[in-house]
Amino acid sequence: DHPGQVYYTFACRTILGLPVFTKDGRLSSDTAQGEASCPPGLPVFAGDDERELAGIPEVQPSIPFQSMIVECGPAAQGYALQRHREIFITHAAQILPEFVIAYRRE
């Protein structure tokens, strides 16, 4: 028998590599800790189709960022997320699903 109103999520092992940080999902930004992987204000995507992250500045030959971290904060300060930060991985080879977790909200 199915237990009823159950939610499922995956716990995955990932390789972040060098992430690009953003607060709006469009342009790079500093992090809350003041660290940055590139200067603020650069596009985070390589093209309009948003399928590949931008190249790491000053690296030749060009190598794209391996992940994107979208920071959270007040919308009035330009943050797209207010609750939790999100981590985006663009290549499946960087993700290894480890567990399926079932839970109920009460």
Side-chain angles (χ1 to χ4, degrees), residues 2-57:
H2 193 275
Q5 189 71 19
V6 177
Y7 297 89
Y8 297 93
T9 189
F10 289 96
C12 299
R13 187 180 307 221
T14 65
I15 299 172
L16 293 180
L18 182 63
V20 61
F21 291 87
T22 181
K23 58 184 185 179
D24 63 5
R26 294 187 333 263
L27 301 174
S28 62
S29 66
D30 291 329
T31 68
Q33 294 79 24
E35 306 163 359
S37 50
C38 68
L42 297 177
V44 296
F45 290 103
D48 292 336
D49 61 356
E50 298 183 352
R51 294 180 57 87
E52 187 71 43
L53 293 173
I56 301 169

Side-chain angles (χ1 to χ4, degrees), residues 68-80:
M68 177 172 62
I69 299 176
V70 183
E71 299 284 358
C72 62
Q77 293 180 13
Y79 289 88

